[in-house]
Amino acid sequence: MVGRKKRTTICDKELQKEDLISNLHEPLISEILLRLSTKDAVRTSLLSKRWRYLWQTVPGLDLALYDFLNINFSNIDAFFKFVERFFDSHRESWIRKLRLYLGYRHHICGLKSWIDAVTRPKIQHLDVNYYSSDEIPVSIYTCETLVHLRLEWVSLPNTEFVSLPCLKIMHLKRIRFTSDTTLEKLISGSPVLEDLKLFGCSNHNAIQLRSHTLKKIDMDMDHSSGFVIDAPLLQCLKTKIASTKDFQIISSGFPAKLDIDLQWRRRRPLERPPKKVIRDILADIRRVSDLVITSDILKEFFLYSKSRTVRQFRNLSRLHARFAICDIEMLPALLESCTKLESLIMVI
């Protein structure tokens, strides 16, 4: 009897938990569903009559085309009609979040109109992954409420004017720029930008990254003619160096944290990087107190000059080192070089 009573109590508690969630006001439930993908939000309609239509009130659309083609829709036309119905149902209300992962095998003729529809009202989060020669509409450059922008594979048109007064996070991956000045305008037109990520983009001319608010820059470029960084509040710079050090920091202040990886050995396993590249990296490391580094760079430092390496690391207080097992013998010399070290993280 005691055991039965205990199980009943647990069931009652579970029912109470369900009631607490179901009895929340619709605006709060809508905020919860906004954190889910649209696919998962739609699934909540099966919970009860109370939840049947709640997902339709969510001020956001988060869709990955491949998920819906495999699970919900039999063809691309059905997907297109679903998105159109969503925008029709929100015509009188504003959309805060739009995330579309469309891939590269399908042509989405309505993409421009969809982006136009959300950038004119009060969208805050825009995330588009779509491989196409079609350019994103220029309305994206003057969205007054946009806070988080993430674009992948898209083509950005040239523009004379950018005004993104609320944009704090901008992540651009595999972007095709019609002009090298487009990126400079994006940054200069974002007066509160704090987090910038550039991955797999290409620039033919040196680009000026000027911002009085940037705190974090993450760069991993395929082909780059270099960046001149003028960001006095920069706290962290993360970058990968392939053949040359393609960035120069001209700010009065230098970031406290540097996360740097050398890809030379992966691309040229039989060659060593030029001494100038190593010397330039060492000059930057001398100025930071927090360093994330790989064993490839450490090995080059020790081969370059052990005595110089000892002097270069003496100001570090935090070190995160990614070691290969075969390079672990460098650890004692590395620790001797870090006389002010307070925190050490090793990943092997």
Side-chain angles (χ1 to χ4, degrees):
M1 296 296 293
V2 175
R4 288 182 182 178
K5 186 176 181 181
K6 201 169 189 180
R7 285 194 294 271
T8 303
T9 303
I10 292 174
C11 291
D12 289 342
K13 288 182 178 180
E14 292 299 324
L15 289 174
Q16 289 175 6
K17 288 181 181 179
E18 290 181 8
D19 289 339
L20 286 174
I21 298 176
S22 297
N23 291 329
L24 292 174
H25 294 297
E26 285 192 11
L28 185 54
I29 293 179
S30 180
E31 286 295 321
I32 294 173
L33 296 181
L34 183 61
R35 270 64 180 175
L36 303 178
S37 68
T38 299
K39 179 182 68 174
D40 291 333
V42 171
R43 285 174 172 172
T44 63
S45 63
L46 301 176
L47 295 176
S48 66
K49 291 182 179 180
R50 171 78 170 84
W51 287 82
R52 187 172 180 180
Y53 299 108
L54 289 178
W55 68 271
Q56 297 181 4
T57 65
V58 177
L61 186 65
D62 184 343
L63 290 177
L65 176 58
Y66 51 82
D67 282 341
F68 277 77
L69 288 179
N70 292 335
I71 299 173
N72 299 74
F73 300 116
S74 59
N75 56 63
I76 188 66
D77 292 333
F79 171 84
F80 182 83
K81 291 177 181 178
F82 177 86
V83 177
E84 290 291 336
R85 284 199 301 268
F86 173 84
F87 282 112
D88 286 341
S89 65
H90 288 77
R91 193 173 298 278
E92 301 300 326
S93 61
W94 51 279
I95 300 171
R96 287 163 48 192
K97 176 182 178 181
L98 178 64
R99 176 182 177 270
L100 294 174
Y101 274 42
L102 304 174
Y104 60 90
R105 292 179 297 176
H106 306 281
H107 177 67
I108 310 296
C109 59
L111 182 61
K112 283 190 175 183
S113 63
W114 297 346
I115 294 177
D116 270 331
V118 297
T119 52
R120 298 187 188 283
K122 299 180 179 180
I123 190 168
Q124 297 175 353
H125 185 122
L126 180 61
D127 185 345
V128 178
N129 180 328
Y130 178 46
Y131 188 88
S132 171
S133 58
D134 296 337
E135 294 181 347
I136 292 290
V138 294
S139 58
I140 196 175
Y141 294 135
T142 54
C143 184
E144 295 183 353
T145 56
L146 191 61
V147 176
H148 187 160
L149 175 64
R150 184 185 183 279
L151 301 175
E152 184 171 353
W153 289 113
V154 303
S155 180
L156 283 177
N158 192 19
T159 181
E160 295 300 324
F161 179 72
V162 175
S163 179
L164 300 169
C166 296
L167 188 65
K168 291 187 176 181
I169 300 172
M170 179 164 57
H171 292 178
L172 305 177
K173 184 175 182 179
R174 304 290 183 189
I175 300 299
R176 297 178 298 281
F177 294 105
T178 55
S179 170
D180 280 344
T181 62
T182 302
L183 179 58
E184 295 181 356
K185 292 174 182 176
L186 273 172
I187 295 172
S188 62
S190 306
V192 296
L193 185 64
E194 296 181 359
D195 185 338
L196 174 65
K197 183 173 183 178
L198 302 171
F199 179 87
C201 307
S202 300
N203 59 291
H204 303 291
N205 300 309
I207 293 179
Q208 306 284 330
L209 299 184
R210 300 183 184 276
S211 172
H212 293 288
T213 57
L214 262 178
K215 296 179 180 179
K216 180 181 179 181
I217 297 178
D218 185 349
M219 298 188 304
D220 184 1
M221 306 292 284
D222 284 347
H223 305 286
S224 172
S225 296
F227 292 87
V228 178
I229 301 173
D230 185 3
L233 296 184
L234 189 62
Q235 298 174 1
C236 177
L237 173 62
K238 182 176 181 180
T239 185
K240 293 184 179 180
I241 296 176
S243 55
T244 60
K245 201 192 87 167
D246 57 0
F247 67 90
Q248 178 186 3
I249 297 179
I250 62 173
S251 313
S252 56
F254 198 86
K257 182 175 181 179
L258 184 62
D259 185 336
I260 194 164
D261 188 10
L262 184 65
Q263 296 184 314
W264 186 281
R265 286 183 179 275
R266 297 164 206 171
R267 299 188 179 188
R268 300 175 178 85
L270 301 179
E271 300 179 27
R272 290 188 57 201
K275 290 184 178 180
K276 184 180 184 304
V277 174
I278 301 301
R279 187 167 60 248
D280 288 346
I281 298 174
L282 284 169
D284 290 334
I285 290 177
R286 186 189 303 122
R287 305 169 67 179
V288 301
S289 58
D290 191 344
L291 178 66
V292 180
I293 201 168
T294 63
S295 60
D296 284 342
I297 295 183
L298 288 172
K299 184 180 294 184
E300 293 300 331
F301 289 164
F302 280 89
L303 291 174
Y304 177 69
S305 172
K306 290 184 179 180
S307 61
R308 291 183 185 180
T309 305
V310 170
R311 291 197 300 269
Q312 299 298 338
F313 288 94
R314 62 186 179 183
N315 292 322
L316 284 178
S317 60
R318 298 176 61 86
L319 177 61
H320 184 142
R322 299 187 286 267
F323 270 94
I325 291 292
C326 58
D327 298 324
I328 198 68
E329 71 271 6
M330 291 188 298
L331 181 60
L334 175 62
L335 294 177
E336 288 179 7
S337 70
C338 304
T339 57
K340 297 181 180 179
L341 194 64
E342 298 176 359
S343 173
L344 173 63
I345 299 175
M346 289 184 56
V347 178
I348 299 177

